Amino acid sequence: MTHALNLVWNPSEGLDLGFFMIRYYSLMFVVAFGLGWYIMKHIFEREGESIDKLDSLFIWTVLATLIGARLGHVFFYDWEYYRNHIVEIALPIRENVNGNLLGFIKGWEFTGFTGLASHGAAISIVIAMYFYSKNILKRPQLWILDRVVIPVASGAIFVRLGNFFNSEIIGKETTSSFGIRFLRDQFSPRDAVNATGITNPNEAYSAIATDPKFADLLAQVPVKHPTQLYEAFCYIFVFAILFFLYWKTEARKKSGFLFGLFLVLLFTVRIIVESVKESQGGFESDLGNILSTGQWLSIPFILIGLFFVFRAKKEA
């Protein structure tokens, strides 16, 4: 079937400054946390909270997000591998008999932290906010959770855009009128070099994407759903709803309401988009592949969210 809009996605790795490469994935995290700090600054000012406490909140949230997301991926999606490679949980390396780590440790290669799971980040942030509210903020935990979910929702938009630049967490093949060929998902750098005979991986990818001589290679790249863009688009509305309710209504005075609504909205989006997303592994096969691992993990969050929405009471 001919696709009305059939894009070949072959982004550069990042912004090349000559002496340093800023990868788009990392840049999206910087934007997410920077925007989150800006949003919370205005919230703290409105609530009469000290900006000094905001710096602590920023550090707690960043650490909770990264550590929780990493551990979430390890335990929810790939424990069978990591149980035998414990060192790789904490270090951005992977065992490879043909590779090395930055050229001086044989048998290892530098990979970066490629596995991050949002469910793990959500659990970790809730735990971190408990200790932050108790030891630093001196307010109820639900008070900070009702407010921190607003920047978290905005951050989710940019994290998914980062996934898009990384050509990861992609969708299933599609025959619809819109789809994207994720070139770097189909061919590893080594595959691209071997297939084209071009020694520079980036040049090899560009040749596959644009040179008619390699049209047969491009034809091997299936058209798939850009599920990262689907999620990012939906998260714009999740953020807008929470932002509006906090600033324009009395919802912020109902303890737990915004936090619960965030869980319901965000993880409902996850369940819907997961239906066209490629399997990320995990325990879904043990449950008969009825739902994906991401969908199974989202159900408890939605139920918890509904609990907080319906029990929310206006503060005195």
Side-chain angles (χ1 to χ4, degrees), residues 217-232:
L217 293 176
L218 183 59
Q220 296 177 27
V221 184
V223 180
K224 296 186 176 182
H225 287 283
T227 48
Q228 319 96 321
L229 297 184
Y230 297 166
E231 279 194 62

Side-chain angles (χ1 to χ4, degrees), residues 7-176:
L7 303 177
V8 177
W9 184 238
N10 177 37
S12 62
E13 293 181 286
L15 301 176
D16 192 348
L17 304 180
F19 61 92
F20 185 69
M21 171 76 75
I22 302 178
R23 297 185 181 276
Y24 289 122
Y25 188 59
S26 300
L27 181 60
M28 290 299 102
F29 264 90
V30 171
V31 172
F33 286 122
L35 179 60
W37 184 91
Y38 180 78
I39 293 171
M40 284 304 297
K41 176 177 180 290
H42 285 278
I43 290 175
F44 269 41
E45 288 175 346
R46 181 186 195 183
E47 305 285 357
E49 281 294 340
S50 171
I51 300 301
D52 293 338
K53 295 180 180 179
L54 180 59
D55 294 334
S56 298
L57 175 63
F58 180 80
I59 295 172
W60 283 61
T61 305
V62 170
L63 292 177
T65 300
L66 298 179
I67 294 173
R70 179 60 174 170
L71 294 179
H73 172 78
V74 169
F75 292 112
F76 294 149
Y77 289 94
D78 212 3
W79 177 240
E80 286 303 312
Y81 173 83
Y82 284 104
R83 64 188 297 182
N84 299 314
H85 301 83
I86 300 298
V87 69
E88 296 177 24
I89 296 176
L91 299 177
I93 59 176
R94 182 172 287 261
E95 189 174 6
N96 185 347
V97 294
N98 298 315
N100 57 73
L101 173 60
L102 301 181
F104 60 82
I105 300 179
K106 294 182 179 180
W108 298 87
E109 62 177 338
F110 179 81
T111 60
F113 289 120
T114 56
L116 299 173
S118 59
H119 296 90
I123 295 171
S124 184
I125 289 173
V126 170
I127 295 173
M129 290 307 99
Y130 168 77
F131 290 101
Y132 172 78
S133 62
K134 182 177 180 179
N135 298 311
I136 297 175
L137 190 61
K138 307 300 182 181
R139 282 182 182 259
Q141 182 184 13
L142 284 177
W143 186 93
I144 187 61
L145 287 176
D146 279 332
R147 287 150 181 81
V148 80
V149 292
I150 302 173
V152 168
S154 71
I157 300 168
F158 294 98
V159 170
R160 282 297 177 250
L161 291 178
N163 295 139
F164 182 64
F165 278 109
N166 260 15
S167 299
E168 61 187 5
I169 314 183
I170 62 178
K172 300 174 183 177
E173 291 187 38
T174 177
T175 56
S176 67

Side-chain angles (χ1 to χ4, degrees), residues 190-200 203-204 207-208 213-214 217:
R190 180 178 297 178
D191 291 338
V193 167
N194 291 339
T196 61
I198 301 173
T199 56
N200 184 293
E203 293 178 3
I208 296 173
K213 182 170 62 176
F214 300 110
L217 293 176

Side-chain angles (χ1 to χ4, degrees), residues 289-307:
N289 291 312
I290 301 173
L291 299 173
S292 71
T293 299
Q295 288 173 318
W296 282 116
L297 290 172
S298 295
I299 292 173
F301 284 94
I302 293 174
L303 295 177
I304 293 170
L306 289 172
F307 169 78

